[in-house]
Amino acid sequence: MEWLAILMFVCVCAVLMLGYPVAFSLAGTALIFAGIGSVLGAFDASLLNALPSRLYGIMTNQTLLAVPMFVFMGVMLEKSKVAEQLLVSLTKAMGGLPAGMGIAVTLVGALMAASTGIVGATVVTMGLLALPSMMKQGYNSSYATGVIAATGTLGQIIPPSIALVLLGDVLSSSYQQAQLAQGIFSPETISVGDLFAAAIVPGFVLVGLYLLYSLGVGLFKPDWTPKAAKADKVPLKEILGSLIPPLFLIVIVLGSILRGVATPTEAAGIGAFGATVIALVKRKLSLEVLKAVMQSTLSVTSMVFMILIGASIFSLVFRGFGGEELVHVMFQNMPGGTFGALLIVMAVIFLLGFILDFIEITFVVVPLVAPVLFMMGVDPIWLGIMIAINLQTSFLTPPFGFALFYLRGVTPKSIPTAAIYKGVLPFILMQILMLVALAIWPELATTLPKYIYS
Amino acid sequence: MSNPSALGAVLAHKAQAFSDFTGRAISWLTFIMMLLMTTVVLLRYGFNMGWIAMQESILYLHAFVLMLGMAYTLSKNEHVRVDIFYRRFTPSKQKWVNILGHLVFLIPTCVFVMILSWQYVAQSWQILEGSQEAGGLPLVYLLKSLLIITPLLLIIEALAQIVLLLAGKTAFAEKEEEVL
């Protein structure tokens, strides 16, 4: 009765559209189906006995321990206004260059991505702070909004992103599962550190492409990015003062992971500590701020893990109905072999990115498709980076991209939505270019981890 | 004689205050986690010292944070929704999505997890299960008990929200405005 697995999947999608919290919708729908299935004799209810130990496994997962710490770090930086200061002083300093503000936004976006990895926060911060000054200086509204939305999504891909932590955990267990299924009993492993290392080159290339585009606009469409009438002189001390804290964090967090001094989890803890020190030094750390940071860390963490629990109940039931077998057979009969399967997976994830958040896609969809792809010989690290960039593109694509919603929420009514759509178009093209490049040269992603961890 | 619905509302507010209190208290654990983790790294790389118990205590704190924060997160309305349609619903439609969702999905799931975990947790208590690592914390049974406590907290919060929603009140504690 595999059709029940399909029916369940369709039902869950329909239920999710109602807007009831994802985690409980997933778990509840799955359990209702498990009940119906066991009455019909199509589902072996004893499978669910594995649930408590699975949930215990989620609670005590060492890798995911990095999540609350990275969240803590990100929220602390947000509350200590590191990004704001950097943005204000850099845009002022670069106002006199061609497309200077666009370049400043891109640089700050990349730095913030590397230190907080929270898409919504970056887009909103930049939309509120950079957009008004760009508009005041007479920037083309499409270009301005496009550059803000696009750099905001960099947080997905530039390490240490929370998205890569979650993806790394899911991919590593899928990879082991795939190898065990193939009779390899001493499976190779991949780690979050591998994914971080793999994301560095593609992340830099993307930032480079964004910068080139801004420079091109500045040179060939000077009326889109008028220079400031009189460039504000910003004292070097102010620029350094705002540049050093995020750089310091990136160096301690990424540096300690890449040099093998600390695990990603430990690095996250140090990052959280570093962010707290920065807030303290900047005299932004009051008891009120600390409480706000802790409470928001608590609710983001619980939210993420609740989805993980819901998704794991869902996939347990899905597996019980033979759904996994179904996905497997479907992929094997796919025309175009491995490439065809990959293309479909990428297309599905792209489309799902319109309605689901990174977390849900990582926990629900990836475990279903990844083992099959691995058995077909796909490289796990490369797949992880492809998925991350793919989703990042999806978040940027009209009409449903998440980043666009965040941005729309903070842009003045005078800028039409169509202008935002037009503005992100060149960036979507660059993203697709990046995906194609990765498909042709997987080494872009796979070389660095081998080099670092060999 | 007091009005039963008024009594319900009072209880519901009490339950919500309880969720709020647990959340605020538990949130301090994130701060302690951060300090402990930094200490562990410093001790290991600076002084070549390390204790399994200390590392495990971080994991325990993590488990307490994520499990005991769930009801709090529910009370703050911060569990992620797919809101393409939801955000355009009328308040009354949103209200019914939440009431029915709680009744059909959340509460049954929680009850089910509690029933299923009962044996698992009880066994752990019977042998006062400890860590599998030498020098680990001997408190695994406390950790496993979260599988009962978390669903219970979620049910309490969900029931409180249903009562408040049915009484036409707002169910979600006021979300603090993001400081941007």
Side-chain angles (χ1 to χ4, degrees):
Chain A
M1 294 235 225
E2 284 98 358
W3 58 271
L4 271 172
I6 301 176
L7 186 64
M8 180 169 93
F9 201 85
V10 173
C11 277
V12 131
C13 292
V15 165
L16 286 178
M17 291 302 118
L18 290 176
Y20 188 68
V22 174
F24 306 113
S25 305
L26 282 170
T29 314
L31 288 176
I32 291 171
F33 267 85
I36 298 173
S38 55
V39 170
L40 293 178
F43 182 83
D44 178 9
S46 67
L47 273 176
L48 289 173
N49 290 333
L51 195 60
S53 67
R54 274 187 162 220
L55 298 185
Y56 180 68
I58 291 173
M59 275 158 54
T60 52
N61 180 319
Q62 276 285 349
T63 310
L64 296 180
L65 191 51
V67 173
M69 293 295 93
F70 277 137
V71 174
F72 193 105
M73 175 173 101
V75 182
M76 184 62 93
L77 282 182
E78 193 191 320
K79 306 263 188 238
S80 60
K81 310 223 183 285
V82 172
E84 283 192 34
Q85 254 185 12
L86 185 60
L87 196 62
V88 170
S89 52
L90 264 194
T91 41
K92 260 198 276 174
M94 298 180 76
L97 300 172
M101 287 179 130
I103 291 174
V105 163
T106 312
L107 289 176
V108 176
L111 278 178
M112 287 325 290
S115 44
T116 69
I118 300 170
V119 171
T122 318
V123 174
V124 169
T125 310
M126 303 223 277
L128 284 175
L129 289 172
L131 193 60
S133 36
M134 287 168 110
M135 298 317 290
K136 212 170 88 192
Q137 203 168 308
Y139 268 52
N140 174 286
S141 59
S142 282
Y143 167 73
T145 48
V147 87
I148 289 175
T151 44
T153 62
L154 284 171
Q156 294 284 345
I157 173 81
I158 295 188
S161 82
I162 294 165
L164 288 177
V165 174
L166 303 180
L167 204 52
D169 184 62
V170 169
L171 286 175
S172 91
S173 53
S174 299
Y175 190 41
Q176 296 201 11
Q177 194 190 329
Q179 293 180 80
L180 285 174
Q182 287 172 303
I184 303 169
F185 289 105
S186 53
E188 287 176 42
T189 54
I190 59 162
S191 68
V192 172
D194 287 327
L195 269 191
F196 279 4
I200 289 179
V201 174
F204 268 113
V205 173
L206 274 178
V207 175
L209 285 174
Y210 286 10
L211 287 175
L212 275 179
Y213 170 72
S214 283
L215 215 59
V217 167
L219 292 177
F220 298 110
K221 291 266 186 194
D223 54 318
W224 278 17
T225 59
K227 294 175 194 170
K230 56 170 184 65
D232 279 325
K233 278 270 179 280
V234 185
L236 190 67
K237 198 173 150 234
E238 191 190 315
I239 298 181
L240 285 182
S242 56
L243 202 56
I244 287 172
L247 280 179
F248 159 76
L249 260 191
I250 292 170
V251 168
I252 59 166
V253 173
L254 269 189
S256 57
I257 298 173
L258 296 180
R259 294 200 51 219
V261 184
T263 62
T265 308
E266 290 168 343
I270 303 174
F273 182 72
T276 314
V277 171
I278 289 174
L280 202 64
V281 170
K282 285 184 172 285
R283 299 174 190 284
K284 290 275 164 50
L285 190 68
S286 60
L287 187 62
E288 281 316 301
V289 169
L290 181 64
K291 279 184 181 167
V293 171
M294 295 186 314
Q295 281 158 20
S296 142
T297 306
L298 179 74
S299 55
V300 174
T301 308
S302 287
M303 179 272 283
V304 170
F305 280 86
M306 194 60 236
I307 294 176
L308 180 50
I309 287 175
S312 87
I313 294 178
F314 180 80
S315 52
L316 196 64
V317 176
F318 190 76
R319 197 170 301 166
F321 279 124
E324 223 164 41
E325 199 53 32
L326 204 66
V327 173
H328 202 144
V329 172
M330 208 170 76
F331 275 114
Q332 268 167 351
N333 299 332
M334 193 85 71
T338 311
F339 185 75
L342 262 172
L343 209 61
I344 299 278
V345 167
M346 286 294 151
V348 168
I349 290 182
F350 182 80
L351 292 177
L352 283 175
F354 289 158
I355 43 169
L356 296 182
D357 208 342
F358 197 98
I359 314 164
E360 292 103 283
I361 293 178
T362 307
F363 291 146
V364 181
V365 183
V366 176
L368 286 180
V369 294
V372 189
L373 290 177
F374 293 157
M375 279 191 243
M376 298 171 112
V378 174
D379 185 282
I381 296 173
W382 176 79
L383 182 68
I385 302 302
M386 289 293 278
I387 292 176
I389 297 184
N390 186 2
L391 277 175
Q392 188 205 340
T393 315
S394 167
F395 291 167
L396 200 56
T397 304
F400 296 117
F402 272 103
L404 304 178
F405 280 126
Y406 283 122
L407 188 60
R408 177 74 271 182
V410 293
T411 40
K413 287 271 181 299
S414 60
I415 297 178
T417 307
I420 303 182
Y421 289 176
K422 209 175 114 202
V424 292
L425 218 58
F427 291 94
I428 297 171
L429 285 178
M430 286 182 257
Q431 294 284 128
I432 294 174
L433 213 63
M434 186 71 230
L435 280 171
V436 173
L438 271 169
I440 302 175
W441 301 292
E443 300 81 20
L444 282 174
T446 54
T447 307
L448 203 56
K450 272 189 206 132
Y451 177 73
I452 289 172
Y453 291 100
S454 61
Chain B
M1 198 185 85
S2 73
N3 183 345
S5 75
L7 183 67
V10 168
L11 281 177
H13 279 301
K14 282 233 154 55
Q16 289 218 308
F18 174 68
S19 296
D20 192 53
F21 171 79
T22 41
R24 282 168 190 275
I26 289 295
S27 75
W28 279 95
L29 299 185
T30 62
F31 183 64
I32 300 173
M33 264 175 86
M34 180 265 282
L35 292 179
L36 271 177
M37 196 109 87
T38 310
T39 316
V40 163
V41 177
L42 285 181
L43 284 180
R44 169 132 42 94
Y45 297 106
F47 304 93
N48 226 344
M49 293 193 294
W51 292 277
I52 301 268
M54 197 163 171
Q55 286 190 11
E56 280 195 352
S57 66
I58 300 174
L59 200 60
Y60 274 58
L61 292 178
H62 170 64
F64 281 112
V65 163
L66 68 97
M67 295 297 279
L68 296 179
M70 280 172 184
Y72 171 78
T73 308
L74 184 66
S75 79
K76 293 274 179 264
N77 193 16
E78 288 197 10
H79 282 295
V80 169
R81 305 166 185 271
V82 174
D83 63 352
I84 5 181
F85 302 116
Y86 180 82
R87 80 180 129 206
R88 282 183 225 137
F89 285 175
T90 57
S92 126
K93 217 167 167 186
Q94 290 188 350
K95 170 177 125 178
W96 283 106
V97 164
N98 287 314
I99 294 176
L100 291 176
H102 284 351
L103 288 173
V104 178
F105 299 130
L106 191 147
I107 295 176
T109 303
C110 288
V111 170
F112 184 77
V113 169
M114 279 167 84
I115 295 173
L116 209 57
S117 304
W118 191 262
Q119 196 63 22
Y120 182 77
V121 177
Q123 270 167 6
S124 181
W125 272 89
Q126 257 161 20
I127 54 169
L128 292 181
E129 187 180 2
S131 173
Q132 291 178 354
E133 308 254 355
L137 295 178
L139 300 168
V140 171
Y141 55 95
L142 279 187
L143 211 51
K144 287 190 174 168
S145 306
L146 290 173
L147 291 176
I148 305 289
I149 300 170
T150 297
L152 192 66
L153 291 178
L154 279 170
I155 292 173
I156 293 174
E157 174 61 32
L159 285 176
Q161 289 188 3
I162 293 173
V163 169
L164 291 176
L165 284 171
L166 283 176
K169 298 191 166 103
T170 48
F172 303 118
E174 203 58 44
K175 187 179 164 187
E176 280 159 55
E177 210 38 56
E178 277 294 314
V179 189
L180 289 166

